[in-house]
Amino acid sequence: MTEVVIELSDVVHDYGSGKPALDGVSLSVHRGEFVAVIGKNGSGKTTLAKHFNGLLRPTNPAGRVRVRTANGLADPRRFKLHQLVPSVGYVFQNPDRQIFHDTCREELEFGPANLGVDPATTARRVSETLALVGLAGREEDNPVQLSRGERQRLAIASVLVMESDAVVIDEPTTGQDPDEARLILECLARYRSAGHTVVIISHDMALVAEYATRVIAMRQGRVLADGTPREVFAQQEVLRGTNIRPPQAAVLTAALGLPGAITVDDAVRELRAAV
Ligand SMILES: Nc1ncnc2c1ncn2[C@@H]1O[C@H](COP(=O)(O)OP(=O)(O)OP(=O)(O)O)[C@@H](O)[C@H]1O
Ligand SMILES: [Mg+2]
């Protein structure tokens, strides 16, 4: 296992309704993981993710969060939010609200400039990050002219450009067509292969099966299952009672008594081997 970058211990978060949105969550995220948090609406995914960079804090005295900083693991309470950006970047569930400049270049320059990154380094990072998300050469375009998918990739780029150790992205593919959704996960996979940690929240089980190295399934503020996609999607009994449907490839091969396939490619291989 690589080193821990985010660690939660016994985290409860109660917004005040009396029924906690997070109900005692303990987990560690390790460097280089591609984590997908899944679960139905209201299960606590966003509340969980907002603890990863100190946007929210545990409401119970025993709850503890630590994130890796230049000086080792530390409680986010000790920092202002912007001081944690080198550790954990965050893309909100509705990223259109995150875009507010007239050109893609300005949109991407904003974060690094606030962090005090020098202009030459910022310019290099802006063009590299635009290329990473498939928007090479679009520096002077106005974000309002971009397609919905391109705007989503721009919003993601505006966080990736800060080169945080880890990025947390709340529903990067919701509302995108299948090709665009895949493109977005490809961008995140490229970011991860440059040595970063990626955490997404997603309802797209087929893409989760294909791209995530680890799946955390939430139910009513608790972690219901945590493991590789193969391990988690094999627990069909456990997942029953949530609205999580394992990828169709997994359902098909399990029904045929050939459990283990979670992607279509896997399923084709297993079925070919069986006939
Ligand atoms: N700011 C808030 N104030 C009060 N209650 C909240 C707040 N944010 C979330 N909740 C409640 O906390 C619970 C968990 O919400 P959360 O947004 O974490 O779920 P989620 O899994 O991200 O859902 P979705 O899939 O719809 O985004 C829900 O019952 C929700 O109504
Ligand atoms: Mg949410």
Side-chain angles (χ1 to χ4, degrees), residues 182 185-186 204-213 229 233 247 262-265:
R182 178 172 297 279
L185 287 201
E186 283 292 329
D204 189 328
M205 295 307 124
L207 287 178
V208 165
E210 211 173 314
Y211 286 90
T213 61
F233 291 133
I262 53 167
T263 66
V264 172
D265 286 349

Side-chain angles (χ1 to χ4, degrees), residues 15 21 39-48 93 170-171 203:
Y15 287 104
K40 69 174 167 186
N41 294 138
S43 57
K45 304 179 300 297
T46 296
T47 306
L48 173 68
Q93 193 159 352
D170 198 346
E171 302 205 15
H203 294 283

Side-chain angles (χ1 to χ4, degrees), residues 75-90:
D75 188 330
R77 285 176 220 258
R78 290 177 33 209
F79 302 89
K80 297 210 162 60
L81 266 183
H82 74 269
Q83 293 175 308
L84 283 171
V85 169
S87 301
V88 188
Y90 193 93

